[in-house]
Amino acid sequence: MYAKVIVDVPSAQTDRQFDYEIPDNWKSIVQPGMRVVVPFGPRKIQGFVMSISEQSSYEQTKAVVELLDAEPILADEFLQLGNWLAEETLSFKVSAYQLMIPAALRTKVRKQLKANEIDSLPPHLRRLFDQGKVYQWDDLIKEGASVLSDVQAEVKKGTLEVEYVVLEKGKTKTQRLVQLNMSLEQALSLLTKRANKQIELVHILSRQPAPISIQALLEEGQTTHASLKPLREKGIIKEVDQEVYRDPLSGLQFERTEPLKLTNQQQQVVDQVNPCIQKEKHDVFLLHGVTGSGKTEVYLQVIQQALDLQKEAIMLVPEISLTPQMVNRFKGRFGSEVAVLHSGLSMGEKYDEWRKIKRKEVKVVVGARSAIFAPFDRLGMIIIDEEHETSYKQEENPRYHARDVAIWRAQYHQCPVILGSATPLLETYARAKKEVYHLLTLDERVQNRKMPAVHIVDMREELREGNRSMFSTVLFEKLKDRVANGEQSVLFLNRRGHSTFVMCRDCGYVATCESCDISLTYHRSQNRLKCHYCGHEESMPRTCKSCGSEHIRFFGSGTQKVEEELTRVLPEARVIRMDVDTTRKKGSHERLLSAFEKKQADILLGTQMIAKGLDFPSITLVGVLAADSMLHIPDFRSAERTFQLLEQVSGRAGRHELTGEVVIQSYSPEHYSIDLVKAHDYQAFFQTEMNQRKFGQYPPYVYMTLITISHQELMKVIDVAETVVAFLRRELSTETTVLGPVASPLARIKDRYRYQCMIKYKNEPKLRKVLVEIREHYQRELNKGLQLTIDLQPYLFT
Ligand code: ADP
Ligand code: ZN
Ligand code: ZN
């Protein structure tokens, strides 16, 4: 019997299956989807069993070294999904499988050495080894090449022996439990009368029907580990290790909530989706619901329907809005049925949440992108909230979009998918209009709450009228009123740091990172400049590097600077600042939000991370500083991103009894992506933007593929980019446009030059074949430092 194995190293030569003989003792156990350790060249590495076969087409095969699982960790569904995903994204199969298992299960195989006959070793090696003891190969490497070659020679002679050990990174966490090993009388008869501590412990244990943790026992007996020793020696107690879960939400309390009575609109939505869950019918719904229209309550109730039918559900939210509020709403409704998966969890916590899902101890997972791979096997509902968010697209190989995986899985399980948003991605809305997706609409806020009134302030005019402050007169007056009335405000700034860049007023020189070619950010607290791509730091220059002038200053405003200005003009306001700098520590995000919720501050000032998901009753004012900073990034979606962001931020205001207001400050207030926020008119935005896309020939009118090439040498990059473009132009049809090659917007990152080209096409059956050819052609050079990435669904054009 042979196992067809794919090894856990993503590369072209390993993207195929190898046959390994299955040793007799595992023949009845091994199944597709299990992990094995196999010899691969000189190494032993982890692999996944794809299938099992009676024959092998290879003449010589090696044997499986070790079987790592007692049951498949990749169910048949995932084996198929991985195949599809690899093809769809032009990536290696094993990198698709890696997405589906927690990092903790990515086993490492370590090489070790053991000295068999220490006396036969040459003297200079003898000092390195002890008889019978095991040494790590990695440690020996430090001894240098000459020692290693001598070691190799000894291995050949047999004086040193090589062993391979499998290192499981994701050890489960255990807790030691203790119980009596005999009756109370027997135990007491074995103890002397003076052994007071031990007698007390034995009494405590005799009152416990089940084993208790050692820690609990010692606490109750008010004693230390030392007191256990005599009990152990006399065999009075029995100890067992019990696995415990590392709980990312430990110590938190969740208030149980009951389903709300739905509004008519909400009910209509639920009535369309529920029959699909009942009848196991696959369908994709776009839920277009304005901010505050009660989408989350809809999600909760359709998930309830799935659970009532003994099915499971996945709820995806963008990483950024996995706020405690969202988790609260799910834990409050579904309690211990919920697992949470996001990047803030430790490797161990992720592993434990994954196992709870796999072992069917939970039925709902709330998580970010990768939670779409949650190993449920009776899916009844998949929801993607804020479906327009870019974080659903993975920006490294495999470059998949969670929506595509969701639709694939929903087809497999015959269940519905809901894509929800107040500002759907243009492509998604276009598909709904063409009835590829089912459009469901919630166009009113619940309980007749009004959409917030929006004021757009022209900052150029403010300047003409002599207002040089970063706050317009309108915004300042409204902020002041709110503080006086005890209402809360949110100030949103689409930036981070104290000031974005340092510029010379005399010559215009801007301080940039020498290896990334992007502006350095000034950090006030350290008086230093930092590169946010590679981490390079330098001190604040005193004079201009270009002309020597002393008029070199920081420009623009970051959250820190806004905070200072606020304290200056509104000293009575209590401000909480939330940005990358203030939320670095684990739990600080939660702490700041909860302080704001408890009304310990009047103003919440922050970046992107406060744009979404916040639902606080007393927010009645939202201010947006520098609304157009996103309009000028080199990306065909910049207008769409601006509208989405402004609409989302506005949505934080007036979600409850109090009506909300929004003030947007802009240097281009006439732009439709800003102007249309006034009327919260998604439809009008959609039409205008569709016309723009048609005119410029952008998605959804065409498909786009982005190829990025990078290398340390500029000439090499240009050379490869030009060859690739010429090849594309020759091979693809004349209707297809090939743009470039051009330097990428971020032309240099971490000392690598980057060039890109874009393919725009409507129908190009040869595309995949041609792209695979390109990838294969450069295969050997890829190992030599050339990077070539192919993105069939580009979202961010960096
Ligand atoms: P969205 O996700 O569409 O922005 P939410 O689901 O957060 O909106 O709902 C906004 C607010 O309205 C929440 O506080 C929520 O509890 C409340 N809400 C939702 N549905 C109802 C309902 N049927 N009756 C009363 N309040 C509701
Ligand atoms: Zn200068
Ligand atoms: Zn840099």
Side-chain angles (χ1 to χ4, degrees):
M1 254 166 96
Y2 299 91
K4 299 204 173 283
V5 172
I6 179 163
V7 290
D8 196 1
V9 187
S11 81
Q13 55 159 346
T14 59
D15 198 32
R16 46 181 248 241
Q17 298 178 12
F18 295 93
D19 291 357
Y20 290 95
E21 239 175 278
I22 305 170
D24 285 343
N25 50 335
W26 289 328
K27 276 190 180 153
S28 57
I29 311 170
V30 72
Q31 284 177 56
M34 288 182 174
R35 293 170 306 147
V36 285
V37 175
V38 292
F40 190 72
R43 295 184 293 163
K44 305 233 159 105
I45 55 181
Q46 170 168 300
F48 299 97
V49 178
M50 294 290 110
S51 61
I52 289 157
S53 154
E54 294 292 331
Q55 296 117 31
S56 168
S57 46
Y58 294 87
E59 281 197 358
Q60 276 194 323
T61 52
K62 294 177 183 164
V64 169
V65 175
E66 190 147 9
L67 183 63
L68 295 174
D69 298 309
E71 54 186 293
I73 63 162
L74 290 171
D76 188 51
E77 178 194 355
F78 291 101
L79 293 178
Q80 289 181 40
L81 175 59
N83 251 330
W84 171 82
L85 192 70
E87 228 161 80
E88 197 67 10
T89 58
L90 289 179
S91 40
F92 300 120
K93 279 190 202 109
V94 79
S95 56
Y97 294 126
Q98 284 167 354
L99 294 170
M100 302 169 185
I101 58 168
L105 288 180
R106 295 204 49 206
T107 305
K108 254 198 146 146
V109 182
R110 189 179 275 182
K111 190 173 176 180
Q112 297 184 336
L113 285 171
K114 205 165 88 181
N116 287 333
E117 301 157 48
I118 187 106
D119 297 334
S120 325
L121 284 177
H124 75 288
L125 290 185
R126 223 175 288 163
R127 73 177 167 86
L128 293 175
F129 293 93
D130 268 343
Q131 179 83 31
K133 218 171 136 192
V134 174
Y135 293 86
Q136 303 301 334
W137 181 257
D138 294 351
D139 294 338
L140 280 174
I141 288 176
K142 293 182 205 117
E143 300 288 331
S146 64
V147 172
L148 285 186
S149 63
D150 292 344
V151 167
Q152 303 272 24
E154 295 304 316
V155 170
K156 274 212 183 98
K157 279 196 267 168
T159 37
L160 288 175
E161 190 187 329
V162 176
E163 289 181 346
Y164 290 91
V165 283
V166 176
L167 296 178
E168 291 262 343
K169 275 193 282 181
K171 281 234 182 72
T172 51
K173 191 177 166 193
T174 54
Q175 186 185 28
R176 183 145 280 206
L177 300 182
V178 56
Q179 68 188 121
L180 275 188
N181 204 15
M182 52 187 67
S183 70
L184 177 64
E185 291 72 38
Q186 276 176 308
L188 292 174
S189 71
L190 292 174
L191 292 166
T192 62
K193 291 227 158 50
R194 277 178 304 157
N196 290 332
K197 268 291 156 209
Q198 284 73 25
I199 291 171
E200 193 184 340
L201 292 178
V202 165
H203 276 287
I204 294 173
L205 285 174
S206 75
R207 292 195 291 268
Q208 308 287 339
I212 61 167
S213 82
I214 286 200
Q215 203 191 346
L217 173 67
L218 297 180
E219 260 165 40
E220 197 175 338
Q222 296 187 354
T223 181
T224 61
H225 275 276
S227 331
L228 292 172
K229 204 170 160 224
L231 295 177
R232 266 191 203 122
E233 283 167 359
K234 295 189 160 71
I236 294 174
I237 53 170
K238 188 163 76 180
E239 289 165 90
V240 281
D241 283 332
Q242 183 203 42
E243 191 191 320
V244 285
Y245 287 132
R246 287 149 286 198
D247 182 3
L249 303 174
S250 70
L252 298 177
Q253 301 280 319
F254 300 98
E255 227 172 281
R256 196 82 194 180
T257 66
E258 292 303 319
L260 297 172
K261 169 144 183 33
L262 296 179
T263 64
N264 283 344
Q265 282 198 334
Q266 283 173 320
Q267 190 64 52
Q268 279 174 19
V269 168
V270 169
D271 287 346
Q272 295 247 10
V273 180
N274 275 356
C276 287
I277 308 176
Q278 280 152 10
K279 293 185 197 139
E280 305 202 338
K281 182 174 169 296
H282 170 65
D283 213 336
V284 182
F285 296 95
L286 167 60
L287 175 57
H288 179 215
V290 297
T291 55
S293 59
K295 293 187 287 298
T296 313
E297 186 61 30
V298 168
Y299 302 151
L300 291 168
Q301 298 208 8
V302 295
I303 289 175
Q304 185 63 57
Q305 169 74 28
L307 299 189
D308 290 346
L309 294 163
Q310 313 306 319
K311 302 212 166 218
E312 301 142 339
I314 297 177
M315 169 82 200
L316 290 193
V317 293
E319 187 77 58
I320 217 163
S321 61
L322 253 177
T323 55
Q325 278 202 320
M326 193 55 132
V327 174
N328 271 339
R329 287 171 85 170
F330 274 77
K331 290 292 281 187
R333 192 67 56 87
F334 303 120
S336 57
E337 302 269 42
V338 182
V340 178
L341 278 174
H342 58 87
S343 67
L345 307 189
S346 69
M347 186 160 74
E349 286 169 341
K350 276 186 202 155
Y351 182 37
D352 289 350
E353 294 292 290
W354 184 85
R355 281 186 307 158
K356 280 193 220 161
I357 300 168
K358 187 95 173 139
R359 294 171 172 174
K360 303 188 158 298
E361 292 168 8
V362 293
K363 289 219 158 65
V364 183
V365 58
V366 184
R369 181 179 64 228
S370 63
I372 196 60
F373 297 107
F376 284 129
D377 62 4
R378 279 179 59 84
L379 271 177
M381 185 75 238
I382 303 178
I383 295 166
I384 303 188
D385 190 30
E386 313 283 7
E387 67 87 33
H388 61 277
E389 277 293 318
T390 51
S391 66
Y392 288 126
K393 166 74 191 305
Q394 174 154 300
E395 291 299 337
E396 57 188 64
N397 287 329
R399 293 166 192 272
Y400 72 96
H401 198 294
R403 176 191 54 236
D404 300 333
V405 178
I407 294 174
W408 190 97
R409 292 198 72 187
Q411 250 160 4
Y412 184 95
H413 290 274
Q414 289 296 301
C415 75
V417 175
I418 298 179
L419 310 173
S421 176
T423 52
L425 191 71
L426 220 66
E427 286 95 318
T428 309
Y429 201 75
R431 266 180 221 143
K433 285 206 137 187
K434 283 168 88 180
E435 295 180 17
V436 179
Y437 301 157
H438 249 96
L439 182 62
L440 305 171
T441 310
L442 295 174
D443 56 13
E444 288 162 9
R445 284 188 158 181
V446 292
Q447 299 185 326
N448 300 321
R449 287 168 199 157
K450 291 204 177 47
M451 290 300 285
V454 176
H455 312 265
I456 295 174
V457 183
D458 186 341
M459 288 308 276
R460 295 166 305 190
E461 224 155 86
E462 290 284 317
L463 200 65
R464 279 197 287 275
E465 283 164 14
N467 179 9
R468 294 179 164 275
S469 141
M470 57 176 81
F471 306 111
S472 59
T473 318
V474 178
L475 181 55
F476 176 72
E477 290 301 330
K478 288 188 188 296
L479 274 173
K480 203 167 145 186
D481 276 0
R482 294 311 192 281
V483 176
N485 292 338
E487 291 172 24
Q488 289 185 299
S489 310
V490 167
L491 270 186
F492 175 78
L493 183 75
N494 190 17
R495 278 199 193 130
R496 63 167 283 204
H498 179 269
S499 282
T500 29
F501 58 102
V502 166
M503 191 171 93
C504 168
R505 291 200 174 197
D506 286 339
C507 77
Y509 161 85
V510 173
T512 47
C513 172
E514 285 184 11
S515 39
C516 302
D517 281 350
I518 64 152
S519 315
L520 292 168
T521 303
Y522 178 66
H523 284 250
R524 173 72 180 261
S525 51
Q526 292 127 317
N527 194 33
R528 286 175 82 73
L529 298 173
K530 284 189 195 174
C531 170
H532 285 186
Y533 282 93
C534 74
H536 164 81
E537 281 186 33
E538 55 187 73
S539 55
M540 172 75 185
R542 275 166 216 273
T543 55
C544 171
K545 278 188 193 167
S546 173
C547 74
S549 156
E550 284 177 16
H551 294 127
I552 185 150
R553 304 263 156 77
F554 40 84
F555 273 77
S557 34
T559 41
Q560 224 172 320
K561 198 163 171 193
V562 177
E563 188 182 21
E564 282 168 18
E565 177 86 356
L566 263 179
T567 332
R568 200 173 58 78
V569 298
L570 264 180
E572 67 273 30
R574 297 162 303 161
V575 181
I576 287 182
R577 191 180 105 220
M578 221 166 117
D579 57 22
V580 190
D581 290 321
T582 62
T583 53
R584 226 181 283 278
K585 275 209 207 93
K586 209 179 164 185
S588 48
H589 196 223
E590 288 81 353
R591 210 166 21 81
L592 292 175
L593 282 181
S594 125
F596 190 64
E597 183 164 27
K598 290 187 197 128
K599 293 192 120 190
Q600 289 165 9
D602 306 295
I603 300 175
L604 178 64
L605 163 67
T607 52
Q608 257 82 340
M609 66 177 72
I610 62 167
K612 299 161 195 108
L614 294 188
D615 183 24
F616 293 134
S618 55
I619 299 176
T620 58
L621 176 67
V622 169
V624 182
L625 308 166
D628 22 27
S629 62
M630 223 188 224
L631 256 182
H632 307 300
I633 50 173
D635 182 340
F636 74 87
R637 288 194 180 88
S638 63
E640 183 180 354
R641 296 247 158 82
T642 303
F643 180 80
Q644 280 163 349
L645 190 69
L646 293 178
E647 207 37 59
Q648 294 290 342
V649 187
S650 311
R652 300 311 109 213
R655 296 164 67 83
H656 295 254
E657 286 72 28
L658 302 165
T659 322
E661 263 187 309
V662 180
V663 178
I664 296 176
Q665 302 189 161
S666 167
Y667 290 90
S668 30
E670 62 288 335
H671 194 278
Y672 63 96
S673 65
I674 294 172
D675 184 53
L676 286 171
V677 176
K678 217 163 21 187
H680 304 288
D681 196 344
Y682 178 83
Q683 306 284 344
F685 175 79
F686 176 80
Q687 287 309 339
T688 317
E689 182 66 13
M690 283 296 270
N691 289 337
Q692 296 286 332
R693 301 281 176 92
K694 191 170 184 182
F695 180 72
Q697 283 297 291
Y698 281 112
Y701 290 96
V702 296
Y703 295 104
M704 280 174 83
T705 292
L706 177 71
I707 303 182
T708 308
I709 293 144
S710 75
H711 193 272
Q712 293 214 331
E713 283 164 39
L714 181 60
M715 291 320 290
K716 177 75 189 169
V717 177
I718 295 177
D719 182 43
V720 172
E722 278 174 354
T723 315
V724 165
V725 166
F727 181 71
L728 289 170
R729 291 214 171 103
R730 199 164 60 236
E731 295 292 316
L732 299 177
S733 82
T734 47
E735 262 105 274
T736 294
T737 316
V738 181
L739 294 171
V742 291
S744 304
L746 296 169
R748 207 165 155 216
I749 295 181
K750 294 187 183 161
D751 283 323
R752 302 176 66 87
Y753 291 93
R754 304 169 81 237
Y755 262 66
Q756 66 182 34
C757 67
M758 271 182 230
I759 310 169
K760 281 187 184 178
Y761 61 99
K762 282 202 166 116
N763 181 21
E764 183 58 75
K766 280 177 76 187
L767 185 71
R768 270 159 204 272
K769 189 179 142 281
V770 169
L771 293 175
V772 169
E773 270 174 49
I774 290 177
R775 201 182 60 183
E776 277 168 9
H777 180 80
Y778 287 103
Q779 209 63 63
R780 220 172 328 131
E781 299 195 42
L782 295 184
N783 298 332
K784 288 194 230 137
L786 183 79
Q787 258 178 29
L788 186 147
T789 58
I790 300 172
D791 196 340
L792 287 148
Q793 260 192 78
Y795 268 73
L796 295 171
F797 294 83
T798 50

